[in-house]
Amino acid sequence: MAEETRYWWNLKHKRVETDDDKGKASDRLGPYATREAAEKALDTVAARNAAADAEDRRWND
C-alpha cells in the first residue's frame, strides 16, 4: 500500500513542499492532504486565529 503524499507550506521559502523536501520543521506549516490546502496555509492559520480570538472574548465577558 502506497503512502499518501503530505504537503507543507514552507514559511521561509514561501512555497509548497512534500515530505521528500528537506526543509526545517520550524519553517513549515502542515501537513496538509493536498497541494491546494498547503498553498492556503496562511489563510487557514489566520481564520483559526480569528476564531480563537472570538472565542476568548466570549469567555472573558
Side-chain angles (χ1 to χ4, degrees), residues 3-11 15-25 27-42 44-45 48:
E3 228 177 276
E4 296 279 328
T5 299
R6 298 185 308 170
Y7 299 91
W8 308 81
W9 180 255
N10 187 304
L11 296 163
R15 68 176 182 229
V16 174
E17 297 181 343
T18 66
D19 287 329
D20 295 333
D21 295 307
K22 302 299 181 205
K24 289 176 28 180
D27 292 335
R28 290 176 155 189
L29 295 176
Y32 296 93
T34 65
R35 175 173 290 280
E36 293 77 18
E39 289 171 345
K40 297 176 184 173
L42 296 179
T44 301
V45 169
R48 289 178 181 166

